[in-house]
Amino acid sequence: MLRTKKSSNSNMRFLFGSVVFFAVIILSVILFTYYALSEAWRKSPDSDFYYMVTFSQDFAGLNYSVYLDDSLLYVGDPVDVDTVLKVKRYITEEPVNIAGIDTVVRVPHFTSSSSLFVVDGKTDIPTIINVNDNRVFDLRLSSGRVEAIMH
Protein backbone atom coordinates (compact mmCIF):
# COMPACT_ATOMS: atom_id res chain seq x y z
CA MET A 1 0.00 0.00 0.00
CA LEU A 2 2.73 2.42 0.90
CA ARG A 3 4.48 1.84 -2.39
CA THR A 4 1.38 2.74 -4.39
CA LYS A 5 1.13 6.17 -2.74
CA LYS A 6 4.75 7.00 -3.57
CA SER A 7 4.29 6.21 -7.24
CA SER A 8 1.01 8.17 -7.34
CA ASN A 9 2.73 11.18 -5.82
CA SER A 10 5.57 10.90 -8.32
CA ASN A 11 3.13 10.61 -11.20
CA MET A 12 1.16 13.64 -9.98
CA ARG A 13 4.33 15.75 -9.67
CA PHE A 14 5.40 14.69 -13.18
CA LEU A 15 1.92 15.50 -14.54
CA PHE A 16 1.89 18.91 -12.84
CA GLY A 17 5.38 19.73 -14.16
CA SER A 18 4.40 18.67 -17.67
CA VAL A 19 1.28 20.85 -17.64
CA VAL A 20 3.23 23.88 -16.39
CA PHE A 21 5.95 23.31 -19.01
CA PHE A 22 3.32 23.01 -21.77
CA ALA A 23 1.57 26.20 -20.56
CA VAL A 24 4.89 28.12 -20.62
CA ILE A 25 5.60 26.96 -24.17
CA ILE A 26 2.10 27.95 -25.36
CA LEU A 27 2.41 31.36 -23.69
CA SER A 28 5.83 31.90 -25.31
CA VAL A 29 4.48 31.07 -28.76
CA ILE A 30 1.50 33.41 -28.30
CA LEU A 31 3.71 36.29 -27.13
CA PHE A 32 6.20 35.77 -29.95
CA THR A 33 3.41 35.72 -32.54
CA TYR A 34 1.80 38.86 -31.10
CA TYR A 35 5.04 40.88 -31.08
CA ALA A 36 6.17 39.63 -34.50
CA LEU A 37 2.85 40.51 -36.12
CA SER A 38 2.62 43.90 -34.44
CA GLU A 39 6.13 44.77 -35.67
CA ALA A 40 5.25 43.62 -39.19
CA TRP A 41 2.06 45.71 -39.10
CA ARG A 42 4.04 48.84 -38.13
CA LYS A 43 6.48 48.31 -41.00
CA SER A 44 3.77 47.46 -43.52
CA PRO A 45 3.23 49.94 -46.35
CA ASP A 46 -0.51 49.50 -45.77
CA SER A 47 -0.29 50.96 -42.27
CA ASP A 48 -1.10 54.61 -41.72
CA PHE A 49 1.95 56.62 -42.71
CA TYR A 50 1.46 60.35 -43.05
CA TYR A 51 3.68 63.10 -44.40
CA MET A 52 3.22 66.55 -42.88
CA VAL A 53 4.38 69.71 -44.63
CA THR A 54 4.38 73.11 -42.90
CA PHE A 55 5.43 76.57 -44.07
CA SER A 56 7.48 79.14 -42.15
CA GLN A 57 6.56 82.83 -41.94
CA ASP A 58 9.04 83.49 -44.80
CA PHE A 59 6.42 82.27 -47.29
CA ALA A 60 3.82 84.91 -46.34
CA GLY A 61 2.64 86.78 -49.44
CA LEU A 62 4.61 84.59 -51.89
CA ASN A 63 3.30 82.15 -54.53
CA TYR A 64 4.39 78.52 -54.28
CA SER A 65 3.08 75.12 -55.31
CA VAL A 66 3.85 71.86 -53.52
CA TYR A 67 3.88 68.48 -55.29
CA LEU A 68 4.55 64.98 -54.00
CA ASP A 69 5.73 62.98 -56.99
CA ASP A 70 3.24 64.00 -59.69
CA SER A 71 0.39 64.91 -57.33
CA LEU A 72 -0.37 68.57 -56.64
CA LEU A 73 -0.81 68.98 -52.88
CA TYR A 74 -1.06 72.75 -52.50
CA VAL A 75 -1.14 75.97 -54.51
CA GLY A 76 -0.56 79.09 -52.44
CA ASP A 77 -1.42 82.33 -54.19
CA PRO A 78 -0.25 83.69 -51.72
CA VAL A 79 0.89 80.95 -49.34
CA ASP A 80 -1.11 80.72 -46.13
CA VAL A 81 1.58 80.07 -43.50
CA ASP A 82 -0.96 78.47 -41.15
CA THR A 83 -1.50 75.64 -43.65
CA VAL A 84 -0.42 72.15 -42.64
CA LEU A 85 -0.47 69.54 -45.40
CA LYS A 86 -1.15 66.00 -44.25
CA VAL A 87 -0.71 63.33 -46.92
CA LYS A 88 -1.21 59.60 -46.42
CA ARG A 89 0.59 56.80 -48.21
CA TYR A 90 -1.79 54.54 -50.09
CA ILE A 91 -1.85 51.53 -52.39
CA THR A 92 -3.91 51.06 -55.53
CA GLU A 93 -4.64 47.82 -57.31
CA GLU A 94 -4.16 47.88 -61.07
CA PRO A 95 -5.52 45.07 -63.29
CA VAL A 96 -2.86 43.88 -65.76
CA ASN A 97 -2.54 41.09 -68.28
CA ILE A 98 0.80 39.30 -68.10
CA ALA A 99 1.41 36.59 -70.71
CA GLY A 100 -2.32 36.12 -71.22
CA ILE A 101 -3.07 35.86 -67.50
CA ASP A 102 -5.24 38.51 -65.89
CA THR A 103 -3.85 39.55 -62.53
CA VAL A 104 -3.91 42.48 -60.14
CA VAL A 105 -0.76 44.40 -59.22
CA ARG A 106 -0.57 46.47 -56.05
CA VAL A 107 1.03 49.86 -56.69
CA PRO A 108 2.24 51.84 -53.64
CA HIS A 109 2.07 55.64 -53.81
CA PHE A 110 4.09 58.17 -51.83
CA THR A 111 6.81 55.78 -50.70
CA SER A 112 10.27 56.48 -49.28
CA SER A 113 11.61 56.88 -52.84
CA SER A 114 9.22 59.77 -53.54
CA SER A 115 10.25 63.40 -53.98
CA LEU A 116 8.67 66.58 -52.70
CA PHE A 117 8.69 69.43 -55.25
CA VAL A 118 8.29 73.02 -54.08
CA VAL A 119 7.82 75.27 -57.13
CA ASP A 120 8.22 79.06 -57.04
CA GLY A 121 5.12 80.64 -58.60
CA LYS A 122 7.05 83.48 -60.26
CA THR A 123 10.05 81.69 -61.73
CA ASP A 124 8.65 78.13 -62.02
CA ILE A 125 11.94 76.83 -60.60
CA PRO A 126 11.39 73.70 -58.47
CA THR A 127 13.23 72.69 -55.34
CA ILE A 128 13.43 68.91 -55.13
CA ILE A 129 13.50 67.28 -51.69
CA ASN A 130 13.94 63.52 -51.36
CA VAL A 131 11.42 62.10 -48.89
CA ASN A 132 13.37 59.03 -47.70
CA ASP A 133 11.98 57.85 -44.33
CA ASN A 134 11.17 61.35 -43.04
CA ARG A 135 7.61 62.18 -42.04
CA VAL A 136 7.64 65.90 -41.24
CA PHE A 137 8.88 68.67 -43.54
CA ASP A 138 9.16 72.22 -42.22
CA LEU A 139 9.70 74.43 -45.28
CA ARG A 140 11.49 77.77 -44.95
CA LEU A 141 13.22 80.29 -47.20
CA SER A 142 16.91 81.05 -46.87
CA SER A 143 18.41 83.63 -49.27
CA GLY A 144 15.51 83.08 -51.67
CA ARG A 145 15.98 79.30 -51.73
CA VAL A 146 13.58 76.78 -50.27
CA GLU A 147 15.03 74.59 -47.53
CA ALA A 148 13.37 71.76 -45.63
CA ILE A 149 13.97 70.75 -42.05
CA MET A 150 13.10 67.06 -42.01
CA HIS A 151 12.12 64.93 -39.02
Side-chain angles (χ1 to χ4, degrees), residues 7-20:
S7 66
S8 293
N9 287 338
S10 295
N11 287 342
M12 289 303 289
R13 275 188 263 141
F14 178 77
L15 179 64
F16 178 74
S18 299
V19 169
V20 169

Side-chain angles (χ1 to χ4, degrees), residues 59 61-67 74-79 118-127 141 146:
F59 285 92
L62 300 175
N63 302 329
Y64 279 87
S65 301
V66 179
Y67 295 84
Y74 179 77
V75 175
D77 192 13
V79 171
V118 183
V119 181
D120 187 345
K122 288 184 181 178
T123 63
D124 286 337
I125 297 175
T127 301
L141 290 175
V146 176

Side-chain angles (χ1 to χ4, degrees), residues 36-123:
L37 290 179
S38 66
E39 182 69 21
W41 177 256
R42 267 196 304 270
K43 292 183 176 183
S44 170
D46 293 337
S47 65
D48 292 345
F49 189 97
Y50 290 95
Y51 297 110
M52 292 185 59
V53 180
T54 61
F55 300 96
S56 71
Q57 294 293 330
D58 305 333
F59 285 92
L62 300 175
N63 302 329
Y64 279 87
S65 301
V66 179
Y67 295 84
L68 186 58
D69 290 338
D70 61 348
S71 299
L72 177 63
L73 303 179
Y74 179 77
V75 175
D77 192 13
V79 171
D80 184 8
V81 294
D82 294 337
T83 302
V84 175
L85 306 176
K86 190 173 180 181
V87 183
K88 181 180 176 182
R89 283 184 179 173
Y90 66 98
I91 295 177
T92 58
E93 294 183 349
E94 306 284 332
V96 294
N97 188 322
I98 300 174
I101 300 172
D102 290 330
T103 187
V104 176
V105 176
R106 295 172 52 115
V107 180
H109 298 279
F110 306 151
T111 62
S112 60
S113 62
S114 296
S115 295
L116 187 71
F117 298 92
V118 183
V119 181
D120 187 345
K122 288 184 181 178
T123 63

Side-chain angles (χ1 to χ4, degrees), residues 129-146:
I129 302 162
N130 292 326
V131 171
N132 297 326
D133 289 326
N134 300 306
R135 291 179 176 242
V136 179
F137 302 91
D138 298 322
L139 300 179
R140 64 186 177 110
L141 290 175
S142 176
S143 303
R145 297 182 62 210
V146 176

